[in-house]
Amino acid sequence: MKKLKALLATTGLLFSINTFAANAPDRTECIAPAKPGGGFDLTCKLAQVSLLETKTINSPMRVTFMPGGVGAVAYNAIVAQRPAEPGTIVAFSGGSLLNLAQGKFGRYNVDDVRWLAGVGTDYGMIAVRQDSPYKTLKDLIDALQNNPASIVFGAGASIGGQDWMKTALLVKEAGIDPHKMRYVAFEGGGESLTALLGNHIQVYSGDISEVLPYLTSNKIRVLAVYTDKRLDGVLAGIPTAKEQGYDIVWPVIRGFYMGPKVSDEQYQWWVDTFNKLQQSDEFKKQRELRGLFEFNMTGKELDDYVKKQVTQYHEMAKSFGLAK
């Protein structure tokens, strides 16, 4: 009898393992809704490397770049054309939520995908070339007040997008109508940085993780980071906007969503996977290398958070005359 119970227990365990294994997708893909080099790229690479290093998947995750509308093309594709793919996750940021709040993703809204996992927090910042005459945030503000048309800002977002909004808040601090600033919209942070280094724009408004690789090469100077207090480590020398007298704080959540028709079982596999992944040393190391800070939220908790953020962003957009 004991042998029979042991056999049944072992069989049950094997059945459980096989059931879990059956939920693991045969093929995994992360869609980065922009060209290579920006925040969506690094978000996908964080998942790609961490999943492989922890042996959660047996073969490397594919990273696909799908630029267009700062996330709109990818959002529409996953909802309308690829809604049930169990192995496909799509990177999103706070900028994606801001665009959703303004109806920039076409006929689809925040309820049309399955919000999966938040994997890190980035922060907004303002940067110039290393040889720029603007050494501090005050230098930039003074120049804006003296001649707003002399400075060209660039960022990976159209008017009303996250990077535009961060720029608008800064320009507003200078007492200038944000709608009158010179602003060039690019398709992602990678293009914006290329334009800054090529001196096609004078100021880049983006996220601190995007410029991290350039800080050690002395090509870019960050005038301010939009945090409550200074960051740690290699970023400790960068002043905040607040300590320079400008009350701008802008955290940037980074994470993933899935198609609306992915089954509950398949979705739960990813939720469980990210819950485990975020506790691993490998993931924490990769997150730190990409300049991201801890933000562990999955499943229903993330879904509630995202929908609350979209509501708040909608109110902010209304204050700038960008939403009804």
Side-chain angles (χ1 to χ4, degrees):
M1 189 67 178
K2 288 183 178 179
K3 287 184 178 180
L4 178 60
K5 286 182 178 179
L7 179 61
L8 289 172
T10 303
T11 305
L13 177 61
L14 288 173
F15 178 78
S16 174
I17 292 172
N18 288 334
T19 301
F20 181 82
N23 290 338
D26 295 326
R27 172 180 168 276
T28 58
E29 177 182 6
C30 183
I31 296 176
K35 293 182 179 180
F40 290 134
D41 186 358
L42 77 85
T43 306
C44 278
K45 295 291 174 56
L46 171 60
Q48 180 191 51
V49 175
S50 300
L51 287 167
L52 196 60
E53 287 199 352
T54 56
K55 297 181 172 57
T56 305
I57 55 177
N58 296 321
S59 57
M61 169 179 272
R62 177 184 177 187
V63 175
T64 303
F65 298 98
M66 194 178 291
V70 195
V73 170
Y75 203 85
N76 279 262
I78 207 71
V79 176
Q81 301 163 22
R82 304 169 60 177
E85 295 182 3
T88 301
I89 61 176
V90 188
F92 80 91
S93 72
S96 310
L97 307 186
L98 183 60
N99 284 346
L100 276 170
Q102 297 174 64
K104 289 188 174 183
F105 283 4
R107 66 183 185 274
Y108 300 118
N109 60 43
V110 69
D111 298 314
D112 289 318
V113 298
R114 305 198 72 166
W115 299 99
L116 174 62
V119 294
T121 300
D122 204 349
Y123 290 96
M125 60 90 228
I126 197 82
V128 295
R129 281 165 46 117
Q130 187 65 38
D131 59 0
S132 170
Y134 313 124
K135 308 299 183 186
T136 66
L137 192 57
K138 185 178 185 303
D139 291 341
L140 177 60
I141 295 292
D142 288 345
L144 270 172
Q145 291 172 334
N146 183 54
N147 184 5
S150 66
I151 299 172
V152 180
F153 291 89
S158 58
I159 293 176
Q162 176 173 237
D163 291 341
W164 181 92
M165 196 74 75
K166 289 181 294 189
T167 315
L169 289 171
L170 179 66
V171 171
K172 192 175 181 180
E173 287 282 342
I176 298 167
D177 181 354
H179 295 91
K180 294 181 179 179
M181 68 178 170
R182 295 181 66 188
Y183 178 87
V184 180
F186 295 94
E187 188 60 55
E191 279 192 359
S192 306
L193 283 164
T194 299
L196 179 68
L197 293 171
N199 208 27
H200 302 296
I201 59 175
Q202 284 75 59
V203 184
Y204 169 52
S205 178
D207 303 327
I208 194 67
S209 65
E210 294 172 327
V211 300
L212 193 60
Y214 298 90
L215 297 181
T216 54
S217 61
N218 292 321
K219 292 182 178 180
I220 287 176
R221 180 189 303 116
V222 178
L223 299 182
V225 62
Y226 298 153
T227 56
D228 276 314
K229 59 183 181 179
R230 289 202 184 198
L231 301 174
D232 299 325
V234 296
L235 304 174
I238 300 173
T240 68
K242 288 188 75 170
E243 72 183 72
Q244 298 178 76
Y246 306 99
D247 191 14
I248 306 174
V249 176
W250 195 285
V252 183
I253 178 180
R254 294 200 176 279
F256 304 99
Y257 63 84
M258 301 187 75
K261 294 183 180 179
V262 172
S263 72
D264 289 344
E265 183 184 29
Q266 292 160 342
Y267 173 75
Q268 191 60 45
W269 182 89
W270 280 104
V271 169
D272 294 340
T273 293
F274 273 107
N275 283 337
K276 293 175 183 175
L277 195 66
Q278 289 166 340
Q279 302 307 314
S280 70
D281 291 338
E282 291 89 345
F283 177 83
K284 293 175 183 177
K285 176 184 175 183
Q286 292 300 324
R287 183 181 62 203
E288 183 178 351
L289 284 173
R290 285 160 179 79
L292 297 178
F293 300 85
E294 185 175 348
F295 184 91
N296 299 335
M297 196 176 287
T298 58
K300 176 66 165 56
E301 185 183 11
L302 178 69
D303 185 78
D304 291 343
Y305 173 88
V306 163
K307 289 170 181 175
K308 182 178 178 181
Q309 283 293 105
V310 168
T311 299
Q312 292 175 349
Y313 281 145
H314 181 74
E315 292 303 311
M316 181 182 293
K318 282 173 64 176
S319 73
F320 280 98
L322 300 168
K324 296 180 179 180

